[in-house]
Structure formats: structure tokens, C-alpha cells
Amino acid sequence: MMQTITFKGLTQRVIDKNGEFFKARPSFRAEFQCRSWFGKQLRGLCDITALHGYSQIVRDGYSMVERTVWTCAVVASTISAITLLMISWSWSVETPTVTVTESTNYPTWNLPFPAVTVCNLNKISASAARSRAETMRRPGNMTVDELTELFRLFLHVTGLGDPDPVRYRLLHDIMLMNNLEIPQLMGEFTPPCSTLLERCMWKGTQWRCDNLFQVVNSTEGLCCSFNYYGLLKDNYPKKITVSVPKDPRRVMASGYQTGLSILLQPHAEDYHSTDVASYGFKVMIHSSYDYPDNDAEIKLVLAGTESFITLMPTATYATKDALAVAPSVRNCYSRQERVLGVMQRYSYVNCMVECRAANIYAKCGCVPYHLPNNGSMRNCEMKDMECVVRARDRYVTAVPTRNGSVERLSYGSVVAPCGCLPGCDKVQYPSEMVTGRMNRSFSFNAISFFKDIQLHNQSLLHIYLADLTATHFRMDIYQDSLGVLASFGGILGLFLGFSIITGFEMVYYFSIRLLFDAIAKKSDKRNASSAVQH
């Protein structure tokens, strides 16, 4: 064992177990003095600090057991505080942004009225298909009815049929013989908006339907859309383009008389190919800048009915603090942070539909007619149909090649397809629908609206706001610097009694106090020297 013996007036020496002496190194003395000073400062700090329990550890008159109990309590509180600080910090890191309800009384006139896209359940007009078949060159043994039947193969891209390579090739050869393409024929075969829309009323005023509706492409094919601004160039007739508002329309009231009312003609006798076993229309309600997709609010309006669709819009916006965070952290894009190839404005719906078009193009070298295309990608022909149908999951599912019915995907485990993220600012239109059989035998309302109309199988649709107020959500950062300070300060204050002054005490006792002690020692030596001289 090493023993230390101090001789008064002599240098310190160390005796080992063999009794041999050797002179201690100067570093031992410095280390001893440093430890002695640190212990003295620490004891003084514990004696006067406001930190909970520390003064009890060094208080005079306490037994070793009491000091041990207080030491254990202080250590337990410190560990608890550190644990909660780590949990609080992890929450801030894992959830950098939070969406809260800012108001349930946000004025609806500050929100645009949604786009209303009406699609006939009948995708191909029987009369148009037959007229085109009669004028087309075809194999000698093929009748007009047989060719008209082949046109149904166009709808296989929407999932309405199984691959049929032989018939695909036959129709491809016929179209090649007549120098025709699928988008051209689908434009001819789709029932036109002029016959689908018989009457239109907007905010209580009757309008020409072609002034309100334009032909647009959608995942349902060609449809008629109101208040749609998603394309870089609209499809309104040139003569009325100047009268179309530059921004989406709004309403200043609620109730069906203040919204959109349309009288729809299904032309049941002209049905050729449908994706629903009924007569009527699909109505998609979506943002004015979003591509008409299955992500929209979809309602089925049957022939011979009157339907009321009430809208209860919700809006979400991001604060400047939230937008200052990187998009990968806040998990959304603002409208200016990403530019799309076809659609006018960025949104998650638009990005995903362009992503699906890019996926199927990468697989088959073409884009189906019902997906957006700015002309830079080749349109699919019938010879490509087999590839398109077999690779349907690439433009139908959100995450291609992943089977969501079997495999459960956890949040964050899948990289966003094509880098698409939700939009930071968005407006959604949850809706409810009430429908009934239309019978105007005893009705005296809107007489001028139905003037010169012979009601047989038409559908009347009203779309309007249910209330003058909407729900407004705000996306903000989870904690700013002041919030972090308050959170950490609350935890440290609750468990340890820590404060800014306590922190200053620690700095003072181990830095500033050292300076004052040195000054005091130097003054004492000066005074002692003066006293010896006298």
C-alpha cells in the first residue's frame, strides 16, 4: 500500500511498502491543490444554491445516512429531469410541425368555390361510334357492329377488362389503316358537353352552359368541368375566353339558390359502354387547380333524380416559421417550391397523377389518354394496350410495386413516389348528398329554368355551401426557440429548482470567484508583508 507522510517544514515524501523514500513530483502537489479547491467551491455552491436538495447534502449536523438519502433523492430528480428533457427534444425532432384548428368560423367567401367535374357514366356514344365505324376502312369479313364492339377495348386502360392481345392487334391494324389514334376517337365518342348539359344556373342567374363549363381530361376520360383552372391553357371557346374570370369563382352566401344548379341529360338510348351498371353521371368535386382524379369527392347522380350536394370546406395554410423549415422535415411543399410539367400549380394530387403518367411511360413507352400529357410523351396506341393493362398498378396505386392489401407500410418507410409531398396550403371540400326522385308535377319554383324542357329522364343537381363559415387549420412549427426554453425551463425548475440565476451561480463559483480569491490572496500577502516590515 502507498502511504503519504507529511513532515512540517520539509518537502513531502512518499514511502512505498518496502520503506523506500523518493521525492514527490510537483504534479502530485498541483493535483492535490486543484482537488482541494474544487471540493471547497463545490461545497460552497451546494451550501448557498437554490437547487433543490443540494444544501441538505452538505448541511452540518446531518449523519451519513441522512446525507445518503438526500444524495439519492437529488440523483433521482436529476435522472428524471434528463430523461424528460430527452423525450421533449425527441418530440421536437420527430414532430417538427403540427397542424391545429385556428378557427371554426372562417368566412367561406375567402375560399374559392370548388371545381365541379361532371362525367357521363356512358364513356362511348353508341351513335357516334357507329357513325365512325361506318366510315372506316375495315377487313372484308368485319361488320359495322363488330367494329363498334371493338371500340370498348379503349376502356381497358381504366381497369374494365382483361388483356386481349389478339383483339388489341386487330383494332390497332384497323386504326393504322385509317390513320387514327385513340385520343382522337375518344374525343369523338365521348358524349359532348353541349348535349349533356341542358340548363345551368350560377348564383341564381341562368347562364349558357358553355360559358361555365369546359371540356377537360380526367381519370374518367373526357368530362365537363366548372370553375377548373388546373391547365396552363383553358379549353373554353375563343369567343367567350375574355368573359371567363382569371381566378376561381367564389360565393358570398349559402343555400342551393346561391350555388351551382345544372340540369343533366343522360341520353340513356345512346349508351354503349359504362363502368357502372346504371344510367347517370359521376360528379367530382375538387380544388380548382387539382386534376380531376379519384382523390376528389365523387358522387353518383342517377338519371331521373334531383340531388342536393352540400359542401363543408376546410382550409389549411402554413405559417412563415413552418415554411422556413426544409420541405423534407415539414413533409410538404409550398406552391412555389416545385414546378410541374403539365399542371399549372403544385398540389399532391397533381404531382401524383403526373408521377403515375411518368411511371407507365417508363414501363411501356407511352401514356394512356386519360392521364395528363403536355405532348412530350407519346400517346398509347392499341399495340401498347397489353403492356398498359398488365402494368396497371403503375398508374392506379399510389406506391407502385407494393401490395398494400398484404403488406402494411409504416409511416416514413416508403420514399414518396417521384418526390411528391402533400401541399402546405390546400382546400378540401367534404360533402353530403341528399337525392330523391324528380317530379315537377306540382312544383312552381324555377319555372323559367325549365322553360321549353320536356322532362323525361334528366337529373337536376344542386351544389352549394352548407354554411357561411368553414374550418381553418394552421400548420406551424411544434416549438420555436421560446417554446423550447419554456419547456426545458419548466422541467428543470420542477425537478431541480434550476433557474437562470442558478446557472449564473455555477459560472460564478467556478470562474469569477476564482479571480476574486486570487485578488484576495494577493492582498493578504501584501498586508502580511507590510505587517512584518513594521
Side-chain angles (χ1 to χ4, degrees):
M1 297 291 293
M2 301 293 290
Q3 298 177 341
T4 302
I5 302 177
T6 304
F7 297 92
K8 187 175 182 180
L10 300 175
T11 58
Q12 180 180 346
R13 295 181 181 274
V14 179
I15 306 176
D16 64 6
K17 61 182 179 179
N18 296 323
E20 297 178 352
F21 286 79
F22 65 91
K23 193 172 183 178
R25 288 179 294 178
S27 60
F28 289 171
R29 183 185 298 275
E31 182 179 354
F32 174 78
Q33 291 176 345
C34 181
R35 289 181 179 179
S36 177
W37 171 84
F38 183 80
K40 178 183 176 182
Q41 296 299 103
L42 183 60
R43 182 181 179 86
L45 176 64
C46 292
D47 195 32
I48 62 94
T49 186
L51 291 173
H52 300 331
Y54 285 83
S55 61
Q56 305 295 331
I57 298 175
V58 298
R59 177 168 294 182
D60 295 333
Y62 275 15
S63 65
M64 183 58 66
V65 175
E66 290 176 296
R67 295 177 191 275
T68 303
V69 171
W70 277 107
T71 301
C72 292
V74 170
V75 170
S77 295
T78 304
I79 294 175
S80 300
I82 294 174
T83 302
L84 289 180
L85 287 176
M86 293 176 63
I87 293 174
S88 178
W89 180 253
S90 66
W91 283 353
S92 299
V93 173
E94 294 174 3
T95 312
T97 59
V98 61
T99 302
V100 298
T101 302
E102 183 176 77
S103 174
T104 56
N105 296 302
Y106 188 74
T108 53
W109 52 80
N110 289 334
L111 302 176
F113 197 81
V116 178
T117 302
V118 182
C119 304
N120 200 322
L121 294 182
N122 180 31
K123 305 303 181 185
I124 296 178
S125 166
S127 58
R130 186 173 182 82
S131 296
R132 167 55 74 173
E134 290 174 348
T135 61
M136 290 175 61
R137 289 183 294 172
R138 56 188 183 275
N141 59 345
M142 178 177 287
T143 65
V144 171
D145 291 337
E146 290 173 341
L147 179 55
T148 304
E149 181 73 16
L150 281 180
F151 290 148
R152 289 182 175 177
L153 298 177
F154 294 158
L155 305 184
H156 280 200
V157 295
T158 60
L160 298 183
D162 297 323
D164 192 343
V166 176
R167 300 180 75 200
Y168 291 160
R169 191 67 198 182
L170 175 60
L171 184 55
H172 173 74
D173 292 339
I174 295 174
M175 293 177 62
L176 194 63
M177 185 189 311
N178 291 271
N179 196 25
L180 295 172
E181 295 184 351
I182 296 178
Q184 176 186 350
L185 289 182
M186 287 304 299
E188 294 180 12
F189 295 165
T190 301
C193 296
S194 58
T195 60
L196 185 147
L197 303 166
E198 282 198 313
R199 289 282 193 277
C200 298
M201 183 177 292
W202 168 241
K203 294 184 1 179
T205 302
Q206 189 169 329
W207 289 69
R208 284 175 53 97
C209 293
D210 58 358
N211 283 7
L212 299 179
F213 286 82
Q214 60 176 319
V215 179
V216 300
N217 201 15
S218 73
T219 52
E220 294 290 329
L222 293 177
C223 302
C224 310
S225 189
F226 165 80
N227 208 34
Y228 180 61
Y229 289 80
L231 300 176
L232 296 175
K233 183 179 180 181
D234 61 60
N235 294 322
Y236 289 103
K238 292 183 179 180
K239 62 181 179 180
I240 66 168
T241 301
V242 293
S243 63
V244 178
K246 300 300 181 183
D247 296 308
R249 298 173 175 87
R250 303 170 185 261
V251 295
M252 304 287 289
S254 60
Y256 80 93
Q257 297 94 340
T258 63
L260 176 69
S261 297
I262 48 180
L263 185 64
L264 303 171
Q265 173 59 263
H267 292 290
E269 71 283 353
D270 197 35
Y271 268 44
H272 180 276
S273 304
T274 69
D275 59 348
V276 177
S278 183
Y279 297 102
F281 310 88
K282 275 186 183 178
V283 178
M284 294 188 282
I285 301 171
H286 54 94
S287 171
S288 296
Y289 293 96
D290 285 353
Y291 190 80
D293 194 8
N294 291 329
D295 182 78
E297 287 276 319
I298 298 180
K299 306 295 181 182
L300 192 64
V301 178
L302 301 180
T305 62
E306 183 171 9
S307 302
F308 296 80
I309 299 178
T310 57
L311 306 175
M312 295 154 284
T314 63
T316 303
Y317 80 99
T319 63
K320 292 183 179 179
D321 290 335
L323 293 177
V325 181
S328 58
V329 177
R330 66 174 184 258
N331 196 38
C332 70
Y333 280 123
S334 67
R335 296 170 183 171
Q336 295 77 25
E337 287 178 324
R338 186 166 178 181
V339 178
L340 300 178
V342 180
M343 308 305 296
Q344 179 174 340
R345 180 178 294 184
Y346 179 85
S347 71
Y348 188 61
V349 173
N350 292 342
C351 184
M352 286 300 297
V353 74
E354 288 194 10
C355 177
R356 298 201 299 270
N359 278 330
I360 193 62
Y361 181 78
K363 177 67 176 178
C364 300
C366 65
V367 177
Y369 67 87
H370 68 306
L371 294 179
N373 188 355
N374 59 3
S376 62
M377 297 182 287
R378 183 176 66 87
N379 291 315
C380 288
E381 302 176 23
M382 287 308 302
K383 66 178 182 179
D384 307 305
M385 192 65 71
E386 181 180 4
C387 175
V388 171
V389 173
R390 295 190 185 280
R392 189 180 301 151
D393 64 306
R394 287 180 172 264
Y395 61 89
V396 173
T397 60
V399 186
T401 72
R402 303 295 287 268
N403 190 346
S405 62
V406 176
E407 182 180 2
R408 183 175 181 179
L409 305 179
S410 60
Y411 180 78
S413 65
V414 179
V415 178
C418 303
C420 296
L421 293 175
C424 297
D425 299 328
K426 57 186 176 183
V427 182
Q428 295 173 301
Y429 299 91
S431 61
E432 293 180 355
M433 177 175 170
V434 177
T435 187
R437 196 73 187 170
M438 185 167 60
N439 186 346
R440 291 191 54 81
S441 301
F442 306 99
S443 177
F444 287 92
N445 68 317
I447 295 178
S448 61
F449 185 76
F450 292 94
K451 186 178 180 181
D452 299 327
I453 293 290
Q454 185 67 33
L455 293 178
H456 174 61
N457 213 19
Q458 293 94 325
S459 302
L460 181 59
L461 177 63
H462 307 280
I463 303 172
Y464 56 94
L465 297 179
D467 201 349
L468 294 176
T469 59
T471 302
H472 204 215
F473 297 102
R474 181 183 73 250
M475 188 180 74
D476 207 343
I477 56 177
Y478 179 71
Q479 280 187 332
D480 55 10
S481 56
L482 184 60
V484 172
L485 178 63
S487 177
F488 283 21
I491 293 173
L492 293 174
L494 176 64
F495 284 89
L496 303 176
F498 186 86
S499 66
I500 299 297
I501 298 300
T502 308
F504 177 74
E505 286 177 348
M506 293 181 177
V507 175
Y508 170 79
Y509 258 84
F510 292 100
S511 59
I512 302 176
R513 183 64 183 272
L514 178 62
L515 177 63
F516 281 105
D517 285 346
I519 294 174
K521 287 181 180 180
K522 189 174 182 180
S523 178
D524 290 343
K525 288 182 180 180
R526 189 183 299 112
N527 293 337
S529 177
S530 298
V532 170
Q533 291 177 0
H534 286 86

